[in-house]
Amino acid sequence: MKLIRQLLFFIFLSNVALAQDIDFARQVINDLCAPEMYGRGYVNNGDEAAAHYLRNQLEKMGVSAFDFNYYQDFKMNVNTFPEAMEVEVDGKQLHPGIDFIVSPDAPSVNGEYDIIYLNKSVIGNPNKMDEFEKADKKGKAILLDSTGFNKVQKEYYQQVEKNPFEAVVIIKLLHEKLTWGVSQNVSPFTTLEILKGIFPSNAKKIKLNITNKLLPKYGSQNILGFVEGKTKPDSSIVFSAHYDHLGMMGKETFFPGANDNASGTAMILNLAQYYSKPENKPDYTMVFIFFGAEEAGLVGSKFYTENPVFPLEEIKFLINIDLAGTGEEGITVVNGSVFEKEFNKLKELNDEKNYLMQVKVRGKAANSDHYYFSEKGVPAFFIYTMGGIKAYHDVYDKPETLPLTEFKDLFRLLTDFVKTF
Ligand SMILES: [Zn+2]
């Protein structure tokens, strides 16, 4: 009886600890998604605010810095939208992020433009098509709506999309969600994606006031630290996550990036907190890296692999976490089929402990910060959660709606997995 009571007490204690961890994770996600972080992009140095926050967290936990105070600086060009973001269609004002997005590589544009349509009723009618082809499209707006297009018509659409007619703006009507991004360069013309449902039918004119600002050689950073291993200090397990997101689209609209990737960032901080406690001191040296500028094209992690702060050969295994906020449908392991032995271990652990409903295998993919590491021969997994909310690269990826369904179980699985090395 006494034993059972002790056991129950122990379970109670470990649940309290995990409850605290999830509270901490929530707090980190809220902090990283706050308006003062400007979507962790490059308008108002949002990336820098987030980096500073992470650096302070590591210091507070007593995680050691490499000899440059947790920072690794790098430079890149990046296109930004710090000011005007106005779109009006026949007098109807559209809402940035909700009704429309501008292409991340858009230049500034200011003026009112006639709209020339290319849709099903035009492309399916030889006379109208003739009219479209003859129309002077230079300096105008071309509206593309591919609803009902066949394969050949879609190929034509793809030509027009590249703007051979030198229109000022290409408008694409979308049925589904809007998905934004980050660009390192500027296109000669603007592309707008607008939700079809809100676009006034047969609108004649579009009025635009959009300001871009290309930031040449913008200084961003990776943030990193380590906890020295007990028995194998010269060999390390690396946990990584990108902390940057898409930033601002105009003065008022920011992309919070709760799932992508405040959630993964919170997971790595939780792991850093765990391993920095004396009772959890690991055998291997644990390295925690928060990469910058992932959304701009894996810039921070590529830079790191070209300028590693300790030899890449000393990395026993790297686990990159991106999108850790759901899990209703389990997790996917990129490189799972490349590192089969490790993948099987992970899957066995999961089955044994009943953590996640599925650990799905996937092959090689250049879709997050593990990529340049595995290209250089570092064994690495990229793990993301599946199911739950559909918000992704849009204004709806918010902390309020992020479920963190399997956050604790993923944490347990990761710490169990580390013990197998
Ligand atoms: Zn991401």
Side-chain angles (χ1 to χ4, degrees), residues 24-87:
F24 173 61
R26 278 264 173 227
Q27 188 60 54
V28 168
I29 293 166
N30 287 340
D31 292 344
L32 290 173
C33 298
E36 306 83 69
M37 296 276 179
Y38 303 103
R40 305 187 303 285
Y42 312 98
V43 172
N44 301 330
N45 304 95
D47 68 315
E48 209 180 298
H52 188 72
Y53 173 89
L54 294 170
R55 181 227 162 268
N56 286 350
Q57 290 285 345
L58 291 181
E59 189 176 50
K60 209 159 72 184
M61 291 168 188
V63 171
S64 307
F66 292 92
D67 50 7
F68 34 79
N69 188 25
Y70 302 100
Y71 280 73
Q72 181 183 46
D73 297 322
F74 58 86
K75 286 186 165 48
M76 62 169 179
N77 297 342
V78 64
N79 193 32
T80 63
F81 302 93
E83 286 158 38
M85 187 54 64
E86 290 158 28
V87 175

Side-chain angles (χ1 to χ4, degrees), residues 60 71 96 99 104 108 115 117 128 149 175 185 205 208 227 247 262 271-272 275 294 304 306 314 325 336:
K60 209 159 72 184
Y71 280 73
D99 300 333
S108 292
I115 303 172
Y117 285 79
K128 284 189 179 175
F149 279 21
H175 286 280
N185 34 52
K205 281 180 187 296
L208 303 172
V227 171
L271 289 161
Y275 287 112
E294 190 263 2
Y304 183 91
E306 287 160 1
E314 288 179 14

Side-chain angles (χ1 to χ4, degrees), residues 242 244-245 259-261 294-295 322-323 367-368 392-393:
H242 77 86
D244 64 296
H245 194 57
N259 197 20
D260 187 9
N261 188 26
E294 190 263 2
E295 306 288 6
D322 195 348
L323 309 169
N367 53 357
S368 194
Y392 176 72
H393 281 213

